Amino acid sequence: MAGDKETLLSMGFDPARVEWALKATGNRGLQPAMDHILENESKPVPAMDSVSESSAAAGGSANADDDDEDADALRDLGVGAAAAVEAKVRSIKCSQCGKIFKNTALANYHAEKSGHDQFEESTEEVKPLTEEEKKEKLAELRAKMAEKRSRQSIQDAADAKANENLRRKAGKDLHKIKEELQAKEALKEAAQKKQDKINDAKARAAVKAQIEADKKVRAEKAAKEKALREGRPIEDAGTSSTSASATSASATSAPSSSAGAGMASKDFKETRLQIRMSTGGQPYTTTLPSDSPLSEVAEFIAAQTLSVSVDTVTFAQHFPRKTFSRSDFSKSLRELGLTPSAVLIATP
């Protein structure tokens, strides 16, 4: 038995599994031990105290006793000792493949693996493996182990490839999600900018409407004051706007005649202005208090058109020819000699 253990250890088997196999098979030889190791290679090695020898060993012992009893009976009947020995059952034979087994445990193991179910008792003795047979068994065992390692290596490579494909797919999906989020953010930002532009336009329109309303009120007030100065009857509110338009036209067409009437500029509380764009287009008119700074005129014209900025607009006057600097924006219309009316050229 020590030779079987050394052979199994030389094959590279774990010593604990060799001990388990030899004890579990009742030390019945190299082949049962190898079969046990291969059959249970995926199972953990139990404690040796809990491993019991195969029942076949006990059975074999019992059978041996029975055989001895049978031999004694035959001797009692006058049968020769040689005939008794020949009649002794020494193995179990598979009727389907012809293989012989030392005990019923090995025969059952063969039946489980091959599916054969026809066995008979045999007087043939199972001979121990020769050195050549041991080498063949060892080569066969190593070939099986190499084949198993090869299959495991192929399976590991396939698993690694599958895991890599999953990782790449997850990376692509994450990149796609990131791009979609960026696109949504860009659309949201564009929509917000568009809404801000609309809100700005509405705010400018509201300011413009308020300026027009204020301009209308001032025009009506100016018309009433003029009517009082000239001793004419005061027009009602329905005709005041028409009168204000006529007054604006007369003030625009003849600013010099108003200045030549002999009235001092300081006597006028309000100033009528017509503002023309240097880029062309419709002129803008407004009435402001004479004490208003020129910067208020810049704010008015910036509210009328989006192309004008309060910080960059400049004003000039053709008659008398004059260009107003940025320092003039803090001066009042009265100080700049623009009362009671004037025409300004605005450059964005």
Side-chain angles (χ1 to χ4, degrees):
M1 299 306 171
D4 294 339
K5 181 177 180 180
E6 292 176 358
T7 301
L8 291 172
L9 291 175
S10 66
M11 292 179 182
F13 290 116
D14 181 63
R17 291 189 176 276
V18 172
E19 292 288 348
W20 179 25
L22 291 174
K23 186 174 182 180
T25 57
N27 294 315
R28 290 192 301 274
L30 181 63
Q31 180 178 356
M34 286 193 298
D35 290 339
H36 183 277
I37 292 175
L38 294 176
E39 180 70 17
N40 299 278
E41 60 181 347
S42 61
K43 300 178 182 179
V45 179
M48 289 297 104
D49 296 338
S50 63
V51 178
S52 59
E53 295 185 1
S54 173
S55 60
S61 178
N63 290 337
D65 295 338
D66 292 342
D67 291 341
D68 293 337
E69 292 177 2
D70 292 341
D72 294 337
L74 288 172
R75 278 194 296 271
D76 293 338
L77 294 173
V79 180
V85 172
E86 291 178 358
K88 185 177 180 180
V89 176
R90 298 184 180 276
S91 61
I92 305 297
K93 183 176 182 180
C94 177
S95 302
Q96 293 176 260
C97 65
K99 289 184 178 181
I100 59 175
F101 305 96
K102 190 174 182 180
N103 50 55
T104 55
L106 296 177
N108 290 334
Y109 177 68
H110 172 72
E112 292 176 0
K113 291 184 64 176
S114 63
H116 297 170
D117 57 359
Q118 298 179 15
F119 296 87
E120 60 184 5
E121 295 180 345
S122 174
T123 58
E124 295 183 37
E125 184 177 1
V126 179
K127 297 179 180 180
L129 294 176
T130 64
E131 291 298 325
E132 187 67 26
E133 289 174 338
K134 288 181 180 180
K135 291 180 180 179
E136 291 179 359
K137 278 287 185 182
L138 178 60
E140 180 183 353
L141 182 61
R142 288 176 175 173
K144 289 182 179 180
M145 294 176 65
E147 182 182 359
K148 182 177 180 181
R149 292 194 190 99
S150 177
R151 288 197 303 268
Q152 186 63 39
S153 177
I154 294 173
Q155 183 62 38
D156 292 343
D159 293 342
K161 185 176 181 181
N163 292 335
E164 179 64 17
N165 291 335
L166 289 175
R167 186 189 66 79
R168 291 182 178 180
K169 185 176 184 301
K172 290 180 180 179
D173 293 342
L174 182 62
H175 182 67
K176 184 178 179 181
I177 293 173
K178 186 176 180 180
E179 288 182 345
E180 290 178 352
L181 289 176
Q182 290 177 348
K184 289 181 180 179
E185 288 295 330
L187 291 175
K188 185 178 179 180
E189 184 178 354
Q192 185 62 42
K193 287 182 178 179
K194 184 177 180 181
Q195 186 62 40
D196 291 343
K197 190 174 181 180
I198 293 173
N199 293 339
D200 290 343
K202 289 181 178 180
R204 290 180 180 272
V207 172
K208 184 177 179 180
Q210 184 63 42
I211 291 174
E212 290 295 333
D214 294 342
K215 182 172 67 174
K216 184 177 179 181
V217 171
R218 290 182 184 130
E220 292 175 355
K221 182 178 179 182
K224 291 179 180 180
E225 291 178 353
K226 185 176 180 180
L228 289 174
R229 288 196 300 269
E230 296 177 354
R232 294 184 291 102
I234 299 175
E235 299 178 355
D236 56 14
T239 60
S240 61
S241 59
T242 304
S243 175
S245 299
T247 303
S248 176
S250 62
T252 302
S253 61
S256 59
S257 62
S258 299
M263 300 179 183
S265 297
K266 62 181 181 179
D267 295 334
F268 294 94
K269 296 180 180 181
E270 293 183 341
T271 300
R272 296 282 301 171
L273 296 174
Q274 183 184 76
I275 305 168
R276 299 177 182 176
M277 301 300 299
S278 61
T279 55
Q282 179 183 359
Y284 301 95
T285 60
T286 185
T287 301
L288 297 173
S290 298
D291 293 330
S292 300
L294 186 60
S295 59
E296 190 169 335
V297 181
E299 294 175 358
F300 165 75
I301 196 64
Q304 307 306 309
T305 174
L306 297 176
S307 62
V308 174
S309 173
V310 175
D311 298 329
T312 59
V313 65
T314 60
F315 296 105
Q317 193 175 21
H318 285 335
F319 184 80
R321 183 173 295 277
K322 182 180 180 181
T323 301
F324 298 97
S325 63
R326 298 302 297 183
S327 61
D328 293 332
F329 276 56
S330 61
K331 297 180 181 181
S332 66
L333 301 178
R334 190 190 310 277
E335 291 174 336
L336 296 174
L338 299 177
T339 54
S341 61
V343 178
L344 297 178
I345 307 300
T347 302

